[in-house]
Each structure stands twice: as structure tokens, then as C-alpha cells.
Amino acid sequence: MSSVITYSRNVFLPLTFVCRNSCGYCIFRRPPGDGCVLSPDEVLQILRRGAEAGCTEALFTFGERPEEVDGFLPFLEQFGYSSILEYCHAMAEEALRIGLLPHTNAGVMTADEMKYLSDVNASMGLMLETTADIPAHRNCLGKEPGRRIAMIEDAGRLKIPFTTGILLGIGETPSDRRQSLQVIADLHKKYGHIQEIIIQNFCPKPGTEMSAFPGASLRDMQETVRMAKEILPPDIAIQIPPNLADAEKILPCGVTDLGGISPVTIDYVNPEHPWPAFDELAALTKGYTLQERLCIYPQFIRKGWYHDKIRDRIISLENTIHMRGSSVIPAKPLYEGKAKSVYTSENPDELIVVFRNDMTAFNGVKHDLFTDKGRLNATASEFFMKMLEAEGIKTHYIRMSAPDKMIVRRLEMIPLEVIVRNVAAGSMTKKYPVAEGTVLDWPVVTIDYKDDERGDPMINDDLIQVLHILTGDELTQVKKIALLVNTVLTRFFDECGICLVDFKLEFGKAGGNIFLGDEISMDSMRLWDKETGESFDKDVYRFDKGDVITAYRNVLKRIIPEFSL
Ligand code: ADP
Ligand code: MG
């Protein structure tokens, strides 16, 4: 096998641009003012977009100790936080909930501060930059090499998987670089916690004190990567940023990693340098095996260097990148629904359906996010689609590409929601004089016209035909399939001690045939415990009956005995 080059898919969250340091090369730093703190809404939006684009890492990088800058605090306090690290902790929790692993680089922190953040971070980082005393760091309390080395050492004592690195071309000499690398190597020999070293070329920015500096040359980068390979223990990854350096020409010197690459956010520290797209990345690493990784490297996962609280997230994301292999999800969805996003794939006849963690009810009026919800519904859908295929029913299911991603046949969707009811519940009991829980004399098929804006009105056979949605024959066929699905599912659920009250199906066409599409999950069925009558489905969420994720997990445990959390 060719040598492996790794990378991580991330989103970049600059929680604040305010910083107590003012380095001669920086354009990230801003004075306190409107927009100097990313609002919780903005953070959530970036996290959600990241999760949808298949990212696994939430990179929290922001100014150092902004509280020391006059006028900063009110901008943070308006969101209800009194320190940037407290805010970071809260947003890292959101990241985990949405499905991303936090990695924080907050500049210099004390051991207590790192400990505080360690239950919600899979890894942390601080660039050493250089051990040399350089003019560019004249106005920077936090850039004193001794303090940075002390923090990296504290991280080692705390067993925090750690990222550090050096900055080339800020006024240091080649022998300073050697010394910086040596310091990092020594710390690692003592604590074993350095997972990667970034060798970053400084890119001069117009309008800064150092705008006339030449920056680091290709040659500097190549030599320093070789030097790093010679000095550092082999278990430390050597990373270069592919948006700043000519990766193709530096890779052969010993690079093993390309760092975090984002399909969603820019590099706020070097905004003029866009990330390569994933397919460009593949071209760049021709001759190597390009492999995705998480922000915590595999050897640290195996050693258990993470807090219990983030264990499940790490395991499920490890599974995700493993199953994803080299397949790449395009950044923009073809269609973004209330609970799923649909992406095109390399194959024009196939789509990728991503089951998101969004939960909505009452036509989107109620909306929340639940960790793992996407995977639970995807698992149920996969299970039932396979079961129905085995009964001769044509479904869109092709295969799973990750626990929450299904590859399906591309269908031209029929705008109908086909509902089968065995027991009266929900909207039926509101519209008609029938009590909830009444067992119907036979399974009833009702059909709604799928259109959120019109409130999904009920439609009848004549309308379906005169509106040219389906021909009479097709309609007969759709109803027949719906009833067959009901027979198969009712029998199965009954054996699991569950009553299938009702469910919704969607159909689509491909190559002149009608296929069952969309999903069959706890979102689309009403399920009651046969003995207790307890709900196991979306009603738990709709009517605040308890913990919806526990309910969904209970369904899966009952229907798939080998299902593991
Ligand atoms: P919505 O808010 O419209 O219900 P969802 O969150 O359920 O959206 O996302 C899935 C969307 O993708 C639905 O509109 C559904 O009709 C559509 N869809 C489901 N399966 C397929 C398929 N095989 N081909 C094309 N579109 C599909
Ligand atoms: Mg839907």
C-alpha cells in the first residue's frame, strides 16, 4: 500500500476575534465591536451545516484571553456568558450534540482551564510557533516561549491529545526551528501526548507590520519537514496546510497529514487562502492513500485518552469515517428537507440520503435536534426496506454508506403521503368522531397531497387522477403496495410486542416502475407497546411524553436483537 496521508473534515468556529496579543503578522485580531463574538445562533448554524456536509470536527480557534481587552466583556455577556472559555465549553457541548468532536485552540491556558474544557474536547492545541525571541511577538504576553512550553507540558500531564506546531518565516532562523522541534520532541518523549505537529508557512498580509516580509519559501518548508522527520518520534504526524503551501512538492519530504479541511467555513487566520475541495485533495495526493481521521488520532482513541462523556460520539464518528472510506459527499445538498438532506452522488441514478438529527412536528412549528436521532432512524429504515425487499416490494434502498447515510435509487417523487391506519389516533380522531385507540374494522388507506405550504391536504382518487398525479392503474398499484407493507410490518411488530397503529409512505418512479421511497422509521410510524400502550414514536416528541431518543432506542432494541448503541 502507498503511504497514507490523513486529513480531518472540520468547521472553523472563531468564537471571538478579540485577542490580548497583537502579533506583527496577524489579521485575525479585531478590536471589540459589533460582530466581535460569534453568536450562539451563528455557531449552531455552522455546526449544523458542518454535520450535514459530513464534517467530524468542530475547531474552536479564537483570540487569547480577550477578557483582558477593554470593552470586550459586554459583547460576550449579551449572550449570557462571563468568560470566553465558559462560552467555548457550552458551544463544544452543542457541537457534540449535533455530532461533531470539538478541538479547541484558545491560546495559552492554565492547567485548570484545560481540565475544565477536557470533558467536551477530543483534543486541544497550541502552536509553539517558535522558541526564539522575535520582534513580531513584542506586544504579546502569550507568545513568550516559556509559557507556551509550560502549557504543552501541562497538557501532557493531563493526558490531552495535543496538536502543536511551528510557524516558519516570522523572523526565526533555521537553528531556531531545529530547537523548537527538539523541545516538542522532548516533551513528547516525556508525556507521549503530541499527536501532530503543524509546519506552517507564514503568509505576509497587506496592512500588517510584517507585510513586506518574504514569508517562508517552498525550500524552507521542504527542509523543515525533513528536519521534523529526523527529529520527531515517528508516532507524531507531520502536518502542512494545503491551502497555504504547495503540498504536492512538500509531501515527499515526509508529510503525513493535511490537517483540518472544511467544505463549509474558511480559514479565518488566512482568509485569502481557500481550502482545496475534496476532489482537489484527491488529485493533490495522487500516489498516496488519502485517509480521513478524527481530531483525536487513532492511537489516543485506543489508549482511552478522552473523557467518558464523549466516548459515544468518538466511536460513532470513527465508524462513520470508516464506512465512508474514500467516498466523498458534495458540499451542497440537492434537497434539504425537515429531517433529511438529499445529495447527488457520482452515480446519476443514485442519491445519498443523510438522516439528520433534526426533529420537527406540526409542519415544522416545533423543531429540535437530538444526538443520534439520524442514525437511529436510518438504522430502522434500512432494516425495514430490506425486510420489504425480501417480500418482493420494490424499494429505493441500495446500501448504507455510513450509519446515518443511505445510498438510494434516485426517484421522481410522487407528491403524495400514503397513510395506512389500523387503529384510530392522531389527526383522524380530530377530524372524525372516533376515539383514540379504536381498532378499525379493516386497515384504512388515506392519502394526503404532500405540500407543506398547503398544509398537506387530504386528496381523493378522482383528484389524484384529474391532477395527473397518477393514473388509475398506478393508484391501484400504490394502494396495493401500501396494504402489503402493512401486512408485513403489522405481523412483524406484533411478534415484537408492538402495535403498529399507523404509518406514512412515500413513493416515486424510476424507469417506469413505482418504488417505495423516503423512510420507514420511528418518525413515520405510530408505535404503541401492546401491553402498556406506551408510545415509542414521534408522539413522544410531539406531545412531550418523555425522552424521545430512549423511546427510539427501545424500538430498535426490540426489533433488532443485535442492535448495539
Ligand atoms: P420533507 O421535509 O420534504 O418531508 P425530508 O426531510 O423527509 O423532507 O427529506 C427527504 C426528501 O427527499 C423528501 O422530500 C422525500 O420526498 C425525498 N426523497 C425521498 N426518497 C427519495 C428518492 N429515492 N429520490 C428522490 N427524492 C427522495
Ligand atoms: Mg419527510
Side-chain angles (χ1 to χ4, degrees):
M1 190 165 108
S2 54
S3 355
V4 172
I5 304 280
T6 53
Y7 75 101
S8 146
R9 282 185 202 199
N10 73 7
V11 285
F12 192 134
L13 299 130
L15 291 185
T16 181
F17 297 98
V18 177
C19 181
R20 68 161 172 178
N21 298 323
S22 50
C23 303
Y25 45 77
C26 179
I27 54 164
F28 179 83
R29 178 180 189 270
R30 285 187 217 159
D34 280 340
C36 73
V37 175
L38 219 60
S39 72
D41 280 349
E42 288 170 307
V43 172
L44 287 178
Q45 204 187 346
I46 294 174
L47 291 171
R48 283 193 201 115
R49 279 170 49 218
E52 274 160 34
C55 298
T56 61
E57 171 185 353
L59 169 66
F60 292 96
T61 291
F62 45 92
E64 182 173 288
R65 301 202 173 280
E67 298 87 353
E68 292 179 17
V69 179
D70 279 345
F72 166 75
L73 269 177
F75 288 101
L76 182 63
E77 283 164 352
Q78 64 173 320
F79 302 123
Y81 299 93
S82 54
S83 84
I84 195 72
L85 296 186
E86 184 193 343
Y87 185 40
C88 181
H89 193 279
M91 293 302 106
E93 272 181 339
E94 294 296 332
L96 287 164
R97 199 166 61 79
I98 290 170
L100 298 154
L101 285 174
H103 169 100
T104 293
N105 182 334
V108 168
M109 287 190 275
T110 64
D112 281 346
E113 288 168 338
M114 278 191 280
K115 201 164 174 207
Y116 166 67
L117 287 179
S118 66
D119 66 335
V120 290
N121 273 275
S123 53
M124 292 187 207
L126 176 79
M127 291 289 276
L128 173 59
E129 296 197 10
T130 178
T131 50
D133 198 5
I134 50 162
H137 286 160
R138 210 171 34 216
N139 299 318
C140 311
L141 275 170
K143 295 288 167 94
E144 199 243 303
R147 298 183 77 158
R148 300 176 89 76
I149 293 168
M151 166 166 159
I152 301 173
E153 182 146 25
D154 283 339
R157 287 195 194 99
L158 291 167
K159 294 195 187 320
I160 294 171
F162 209 77
T163 296
T164 186
I166 60 175
L167 204 48
L168 300 199
I170 50 173
E172 82 298 345
T173 65
S175 89
D176 293 334
R177 290 172 199 157
R178 181 171 283 278
Q179 202 199 347
S180 303
L181 290 168
Q182 194 58 57
V183 165
I184 296 167
D186 291 345
L187 285 169
H188 183 68
K189 278 177 203 144
K190 208 159 154 199
Y191 300 101
H193 67 307
I194 307 289
Q195 47 177 9
E196 53 184 358
I197 282 203
I198 309 171
I199 308 225
Q200 183 166 343
N201 49 317
F202 156 63
C203 301
K205 317 270 189 264
T208 61
E209 269 174 46
M210 289 172 71
S211 58
F213 257 61
S217 68
L218 174 62
R219 191 84 172 278
D220 288 332
M221 286 293 282
Q222 290 171 322
E223 278 168 9
T224 314
V225 168
R226 278 194 214 104
M227 198 191 275
K229 197 174 172 209
E230 170 205 319
I231 295 175
L232 298 173
D235 57 331
I236 299 182
I238 301 178
Q239 176 186 121
I240 57 160
N243 61 325
L244 305 181
D246 188 347
E248 223 172 326
K249 297 206 175 83
I250 310 171
L251 287 181
C253 304
V255 172
T256 60
D257 186 82
L258 293 173
I261 312 251
S262 186
V264 172
T265 47
I266 59 163
D267 174 357
Y268 286 90
V269 178
N270 297 282
E272 73 281 23
H273 295 278
W275 304 118
F278 291 127
D279 44 0
E280 289 173 86
L281 207 59
L284 216 70
T285 50
K286 220 167 41 225
Y288 298 85
T289 302
L290 184 62
Q291 200 171 293
E292 208 179 334
R293 63 162 172 84
L294 302 181
C295 61
I296 170 171
Y297 277 63
Q299 66 268 32
F300 294 95
I301 299 177
R302 281 196 301 274
K303 285 200 289 188
W305 278 32
Y306 49 77
H307 196 279
D308 263 0
K309 255 170 78 174
I310 60 177
R311 177 176 173 270
D312 288 355
R313 182 51 66 207
I314 290 177
I315 291 170
S316 94
L317 285 175
E318 217 187 7
N319 198 5
T320 299
I321 60 173
H322 175 72
M323 290 181 76
R324 185 146 64 202
S326 61
S327 83
V328 167
I329 289 199
K332 264 203 169 31
L334 179 71
Y335 175 78
E336 205 159 312
K338 294 186 289 292
K340 304 190 289 301
S341 297
V342 181
Y343 295 83
T344 53
S345 73
E346 294 109 73
N347 183 336
D349 298 329
E350 295 180 3
L351 296 174
I352 306 165
V353 177
V354 178
F355 288 72
R356 301 198 316 266
N357 288 338
D358 295 71
M359 179 89 96
T360 66
F362 310 116
N363 212 348
V365 172
K366 191 168 170 174
H367 180 202
D368 283 283
L369 280 166
F370 294 99
T371 299
D372 220 24
K373 182 243 172 190
R375 182 182 71 107
L376 298 175
N377 271 345
T379 306
S381 249
E382 176 196 10
F383 180 78
F384 290 118
M385 293 283 175
K386 281 181 178 164
M387 175 184 291
L388 296 173
E389 285 281 350
E391 298 284 342
I393 296 166
K394 285 197 189 76
T395 80
H396 70 166
Y397 175 80
I398 297 175
R399 70 191 138 86
M400 302 302 286
S401 73
D404 58 349
K405 295 182 184 64
M406 188 183 282
I407 311 287
V408 303
R409 186 188 297 268
R410 184 177 194 147
L411 303 178
E412 194 193 315
M413 293 307 285
I414 301 163
L416 297 177
E417 301 197 335
V418 180
I419 299 149
V420 183
R421 299 175 181 276
N422 297 304
V423 176
S427 64
M428 179 179 182
T429 60
K430 292 206 186 64
K431 288 183 192 157
Y432 310 103
V434 56
E436 173 140 318
T438 310
V439 178
L440 306 176
D441 292 346
W442 57 81
V444 173
V445 179
T446 62
I447 304 184
D448 289 347
Y449 179 66
K450 183 172 157 72
D451 185 335
D452 283 341
E453 270 163 35
R454 293 187 161 82
D456 302 331
M458 190 192 266
I459 194 167
N460 72 8
D461 292 12
D462 279 345
L463 279 169
I464 289 171
Q465 291 170 72
V466 298
L467 296 180
H468 303 290
I469 297 170
L470 291 176
T471 65
D473 278 354
E474 287 168 337
L475 181 56
T476 308
Q477 206 187 325
V478 160
K479 286 188 187 170
K480 207 174 125 199
I481 302 172
L483 286 169
L484 181 54
V485 170
N486 186 47
T487 308
V488 174
L489 294 186
T490 303
R491 193 191 328 129
F492 172 76
F493 274 115
D494 194 60
E495 283 164 13
C496 306
I498 294 174
C499 167
L500 175 60
V501 175
D502 54 37
F503 60 91
K504 177 212 80 175
L505 301 176
E506 289 180 31
F507 294 87
K509 292 184 197 169
N513 288 312
I514 291 181
F515 290 82
L516 181 57
D518 206 47
E519 69 184 298
I520 303 181
S521 71
M522 288 69 81
D523 274 10
S524 67
M525 297 184 279
R526 215 173 241 119
L527 304 169
W528 294 349
D529 186 298
K530 259 170 55 182
E531 308 239 300
T532 64
E534 186 191 346
S535 289
F536 283 141
D537 53 67
K538 202 161 127 178
D539 277 352
V540 175
Y541 170 70
R542 277 193 199 99
F543 307 112
D544 302 313
K545 292 186 186 183
D547 178 10
V548 69
I549 294 302
T550 306
Y552 281 23
R553 285 210 173 109
N554 280 338
V555 174
L556 289 179
K557 273 191 244 161
R558 285 218 205 171
I559 65 174
I560 315 176
E562 66 276 17
F563 173 72
S564 76
L565 304 176

